[in-house]
Amino acid sequence: MTSERQKSIGIDIGGTHMVFGLVDEQGRLQWKQKVKTDLSQGFTSMLAVIEAQVDACLTETGWSREQVRTIGIGMPGRVDADRGICLHAANLNLRNIPVAAEVARVTGMSCYINNDVRMYNYGEAMHGAGKGKQYVLGVTIGTGMAGAMIVKGEPYGGSDNRAGEIGHIPLEGVGTRCNCGMTGCLETIVSATGLARSARNVVKEGVDTVLATYHPDPASLTAADVSRAYDEGDAIAIGIMHHAGARLGQVLASLIPMLSPDVIIIGGGVALAEERLLHPVREVLSRLVSRAFLDGMDLTTALHNDDAGVIGAAAWATRCEKGER
Amino acid sequence: MTSERQKSIGIDIGGTHMVFGLVDEQGRLQWKQKVKTDLSQGFTSMLAVIEAQVDACLTETGWSREQVRTIGIGMPGRVDADRGICLHAANLNLRNIPVAAEVARVTGMSCYINNDVRMYNYGEAMHGAGKGKQYVLGVTIGTGMAGAMIVKGEPYGGSDNRAGEIGHIPLEGVGTRCNCGMTGCLETIVSATGLARSARNVVKEGVDTVLATYHPDPASLTAADVSRAYDEGDAIAIGIMHHAGARLGQVLASLIPMLSPDVIIIGGGVALAEERLLHPVREVLSRLVSRAFLDGMDLTTALHNDDAGVIGAAAWATRCEKGER
């Protein structure tokens, strides 16, 4: 059986797991597999896993190498998409690896790579919450926080492919040291890590909050606990979430007049907080930003969340293969 | 005499004056004329001036309509560049005017239009301080303040062509009402108007400053007076300039991690303040922004200043005519 439609394999590479998916041209995920990231032999062991999973995908779905043809990869760190090179991925301990060429060599298929946050938001821009929009600003909030702009279907790169570091925009009056070496970065407040830290801090200070009852050791508190306490009506948890939303809103208020996005998509694990987080963002935006920008602009959570990275990487490969960039 | 090289006429339309220039493909201005903007009959009178000045340009330079062929126009307000329509230019009182088609009709030449700040920064990106750079962030500071991003030779539009309003990014702790209806916009501090207001305010408050000696009426104080007093070593004037530079630096610190420009170009009349303004900007950036972004990034004043708009509009027309967009 053959198909007129282009299918592509998307791979979302993370520090602990890699997700593989077969995606059709409408962005529908037809097969998915999650495996551990194997870095025991550096890129060599990672490449072996990719080769094996691509084989498994084709075997299990019954599609041939000629029918699928393309692989798209989203990976952390700085990526030179034009040359297919991973410039530097600190958490994978990779530097200057010709990933696209190597994957193409072992799979016999065309391979295109890009940054994982860009691919996540490319997936949302093409087939998710940003579908049909020209100017998409994606903000992905998980352990850390990063952003991506997809402009008319093209991920915005920036000098040396460094753009998108919304999590490292500095906040006045915040003294928390960030992993990046600077102080007061947005992600020290708005991230799973930041929310959990805020929760830990209030419990350690002996504040009266239901958060104190969740774990014997406050170090175990998570961002999900903050959402849970929020839903129990805990004023402290509500305050933590509102503070994070307000700070996110303040930074978005600085970006919107300059970028004028059609849509802002909040994704990643922390996006599961939904309106608990977005309500204070909206409140700050309506106070600080002119209606000229807000009236036509959507602020929403990601549609595909966990799958957006795989869908985006596959869609990116399809686009690159067609020579549309 | 014929030339292999493409020449183009650039027009920079402002509320009080229009500047016409003949520009060669290297961005060199070969002829220039500045005339009053005639809005007595709305767009009709403006069009008549354009027709007459294009004729004058060709007559005076000896180039034929076939040799020059293209006209580029930068004009204020929101412009639909793809359709050649002025959507809304408040200070020209124009709305939904098919400017490109009308200019093409009366001149017999191809015409392309765009927003004036974008054309100014397009001129700087292609033939000025941003030459050879892929990610150019231009900030034009005059009576007001606006920005433009030129990404790989293409002006960034944003939703509804509203992008670039860096002057309307809100500042915490600033209570000055802005013309836009919001409060605390950056341009209330960083603009010729803002600098003059600060100067007036200190004089009215009876502060000991040389600014008090410049004019019988403090209402006559200008941004240039602040630079003059700065050069006389006046601590108050230095403070006003440092405050403006610090606020500009603070906003740029919010944009740089997200956009990662190769170069930030400060243009417009206030850019004549040069290092008096840029020094405090640099100081704030080095404190708030990671060296990963700053090390490869230039911060500089515009090279062509007054002429950048005409040079950019002409270069834009040449690019559009070649079908490179």
Side-chain angles (χ1 to χ4, degrees):
Chain A
M1 198 177 110
T2 63
S3 165
E4 300 296 311
R5 294 262 163 69
Q6 175 80 50
K7 286 183 171 56
S8 185
I9 292 174
I11 311 177
D12 186 7
I13 300 181
T16 56
H17 289 89
M18 298 164 70
V19 185
F20 292 75
L22 182 72
V23 182
D24 73 12
E25 203 162 20
Q26 279 73 48
R28 288 175 299 214
L29 197 55
Q30 304 199 325
W31 176 93
K32 181 179 163 184
Q33 186 69 47
K34 187 172 179 176
V35 299
K36 283 227 160 73
T37 302
D38 181 358
L39 292 163
S40 56
Q41 313 280 323
F43 181 65
T44 306
S45 47
M46 183 182 282
L47 188 62
V49 173
I50 291 173
E51 185 179 4
Q53 286 300 320
V54 168
D55 283 346
C57 171
L58 298 177
T59 305
E60 292 174 25
T61 62
W63 295 98
S64 74
R65 222 163 277 269
E66 290 65 39
Q67 286 168 319
V68 177
R69 286 216 320 271
T70 53
I71 298 173
I73 298 179
M75 57 190 302
R78 284 195 304 126
V79 174
D80 183 335
D82 292 335
R83 297 192 301 146
I85 293 171
C86 160
L87 298 172
H88 186 210
N91 65 341
L92 303 176
N93 199 23
L94 300 179
R95 201 183 273 273
N96 294 319
I97 307 280
V99 173
E102 286 297 293
V103 171
R105 182 177 62 79
V106 301
T107 61
M109 296 161 77
S110 300
C111 179
Y112 303 90
I113 69 172
N114 212 314
N115 167 271
D116 57 350
V117 176
R118 291 184 191 163
M119 290 299 92
Y120 181 102
N121 287 297
Y122 190 75
E124 286 293 328
M126 296 293 112
H127 298 296
K131 193 172 175 177
K133 307 283 191 179
Q134 289 201 297
Y135 296 90
V136 177
L137 171 57
V139 181
T140 308
I141 316 174
T143 314
M145 182 193 197
M149 284 206 299
I150 312 295
V151 180
K152 297 180 179 176
E154 179 85 11
Y156 174 97
S159 183
D160 243 351
N161 278 289
R162 288 186 199 277
E165 295 291 0
I166 187 173
H168 298 289
I169 291 177
L171 296 172
E172 261 187 300
V174 174
T176 310
R177 186 92 176 169
C178 182
N179 290 332
C180 76
M182 306 297 287
T183 297
C185 293
L186 179 63
E187 80 166 34
T188 65
I189 308 284
V190 185
S191 63
T193 318
L195 290 167
R197 182 190 299 113
S198 299
R200 274 200 312 274
N201 287 346
V202 292
V203 170
K204 282 181 187 164
E205 286 162 15
V207 172
D208 180 21
T209 161
V210 71
L211 288 163
T213 67
Y214 287 174
H215 303 280
D217 180 357
S220 305
L221 281 161
T222 65
D225 288 328
V226 179
S227 277
R228 181 181 152 201
Y230 183 109
D231 291 343
E232 293 187 46
D234 183 76
I236 299 299
I238 293 170
I240 289 172
M241 202 64 95
H242 278 199
H243 178 63
R247 287 303 204 164
L248 175 56
Q250 190 189 346
V251 163
L252 292 176
S254 295
L255 296 176
I256 291 169
M258 191 62 205
L259 300 179
S260 193
D262 290 309
V263 59
I264 298 177
I265 303 172
I266 310 295
V270 172
L272 299 175
E274 298 191 337
E275 286 302 317
R276 302 177 194 93
L277 182 70
L278 292 199
H279 178 74
V281 174
R282 289 185 215 283
E283 195 279 318
V284 166
L285 292 183
S286 70
R287 193 159 47 76
L288 295 182
V289 179
S290 163
R291 293 193 55 158
F293 292 106
L294 297 183
D295 280 350
M297 191 196 86
D298 285 340
L299 170 69
T300 182
T301 49
L303 191 65
H304 297 297
N305 226 332
D306 264 6
D307 295 331
V310 168
I311 293 170
W316 174 246
T318 301
R319 177 174 169 136
C320 291
E321 185 74 2
K322 284 184 178 168
E324 285 176 356
R325 63 173 302 268
Chain B
M1 199 177 109
T2 62
S3 166
E4 301 296 310
R5 295 262 164 68
Q6 175 79 49
K7 285 183 172 57
S8 185
I9 292 174
I11 311 178
D12 186 7
I13 299 182
T16 57
H17 289 88
M18 299 164 71
V19 185
F20 292 75
L22 183 71
V23 182
D24 73 14
E25 204 161 20
Q26 279 74 49
R28 288 175 300 214
L29 197 56
Q30 303 199 325
W31 175 93
K32 181 179 163 185
Q33 184 71 46
K34 187 172 179 176
V35 300
K36 282 227 162 71
T37 302
D38 181 358
L39 291 164
S40 56
Q41 314 279 323
F43 182 66
T44 306
S45 47
M46 183 182 282
L47 189 62
V49 173
I50 292 173
E51 185 180 4
Q53 286 300 320
V54 168
D55 283 346
C57 171
L58 298 176
T59 305
E60 291 173 27
T61 62
W63 295 99
S64 74
R65 221 162 278 267
E66 290 66 37
Q67 286 168 320
V68 177
R69 287 217 317 272
T70 52
I71 298 173
I73 297 179
M75 57 190 303
R78 284 196 304 127
V79 173
D80 182 335
D82 291 335
R83 296 192 301 148
I85 292 172
C86 161
L87 298 172
H88 186 210
N91 65 342
L92 302 176
N93 200 24
L94 300 179
R95 202 183 271 273
N96 294 320
I97 307 280
V99 173
E102 285 297 293
V103 171
R105 182 177 62 78
V106 301
T107 61
M109 295 160 78
S110 299
C111 178
Y112 303 90
I113 70 172
N114 212 313
N115 167 270
D116 57 351
V117 175
R118 291 184 191 163
M119 291 299 92
Y120 181 102
N121 287 297
Y122 190 75
E124 286 294 326
M126 296 293 112
H127 298 295
K131 193 172 176 177
K133 307 283 190 180
Q134 288 201 297
Y135 295 91
V136 177
L137 172 56
V139 181
T140 309
I141 316 174
T143 315
M145 181 193 198
M149 284 205 300
I150 312 295
V151 180
K152 298 180 178 177
E154 179 84 12
Y156 175 96
S159 184
D160 242 352
N161 278 290
R162 288 186 199 278
E165 294 292 0
I166 188 174
H168 298 288
I169 291 177
L171 297 173
E172 261 187 300
V174 174
T176 310
R177 186 92 176 169
C178 181
N179 291 332
C180 77
M182 305 298 286
T183 297
C185 293
L186 179 63
E187 80 166 34
T188 64
I189 308 283
V190 185
S191 63
T193 317
L195 289 167
R197 182 191 299 113
S198 299
R200 273 201 311 274
N201 287 347
V202 293
V203 170
K204 282 180 188 165
E205 286 162 16
V207 173
D208 181 22
T209 162
V210 70
L211 287 163
T213 67
Y214 287 174
H215 302 280
D217 180 358
S220 305
L221 280 161
T222 65
D225 288 328
V226 179
S227 277
R228 181 180 151 201
Y230 183 109
D231 291 343
E232 293 186 46
D234 183 75
I236 299 300
I238 292 170
I240 289 172
M241 202 63 95
H242 278 200
H243 178 64
R247 287 303 205 165
L248 175 57
Q250 191 189 345
V251 163
L252 291 176
S254 294
L255 297 176
I256 291 168
M258 191 63 207
L259 301 179
S260 193
D262 290 309
V263 59
I264 298 178
I265 303 172
I266 311 294
V270 171
L272 299 175
E274 297 190 337
E275 286 302 318
R276 301 177 194 92
L277 182 70
L278 292 200
H279 177 74
V281 174
R282 288 185 215 283
E283 195 279 319
V284 167
L285 291 183
S286 70
R287 193 159 45 78
L288 296 183
V289 180
S290 162
R291 291 193 57 158
F293 292 106
L294 297 183
D295 279 351
M297 191 197 86
D298 285 340
L299 171 68
T300 182
T301 49
L303 190 66
H304 297 298
N305 226 332
D306 265 5
D307 295 333
V310 167
I311 292 169
W316 174 246
T318 300
R319 177 174 169 135
C320 291
E321 184 75 1
K322 283 184 179 170
E324 287 176 357
R325 65 175 301 268

